[in-house]
Amino acid sequence: MNKEVLQKIKQKALEEHIPIIMDDTLETLDKILKNMNLNKVLEIGTAVRIFCYMFYRVFR
């Protein structure tokens, strides 16, 4: 998924007051997950799956 699509999803969520993960939290999780050598993550309780989309590249 490209950054343009992600930005649209994020913007729509913000406009509709849907809580999403903050950018600084994403950056921190990105660093942690890259070092953990994971191949799957279960995302529970999300409205727009922004975390999943952001980290899709990590698990490919």
Side-chain angles (χ1 to χ4, degrees):
M1 182 168 288
N2 65 40
K3 289 185 180 188
E4 211 173 278
V5 173
L6 288 174
Q7 190 59 34
K8 287 180 182 179
I9 292 169
K10 183 178 176 180
Q11 186 61 38
K12 183 172 169 60
L14 292 172
E15 288 171 2
E16 295 179 7
H17 306 287
I18 298 170
I20 59 172
I21 194 167
M22 303 303 290
D23 291 336
D24 57 338
T25 305
L26 279 172
E27 289 176 24
T28 301
L29 288 172
D30 184 41
K31 291 176 187 174
I32 293 169
L33 293 175
K34 283 180 181 174
N35 291 325
M36 293 182 74
N37 196 26
L38 300 173
N39 60 7
K40 294 181 183 178
V41 167
L42 176 61
E43 183 177 10
I44 299 175
T46 61
V48 293
R49 295 187 208 147
I50 197 79
F51 175 83
C52 177
Y53 296 135
M54 294 298 288
F55 289 101
Y56 178 73
R57 63 179 162 54
V58 173
F59 303 111
R60 290 194 68 167

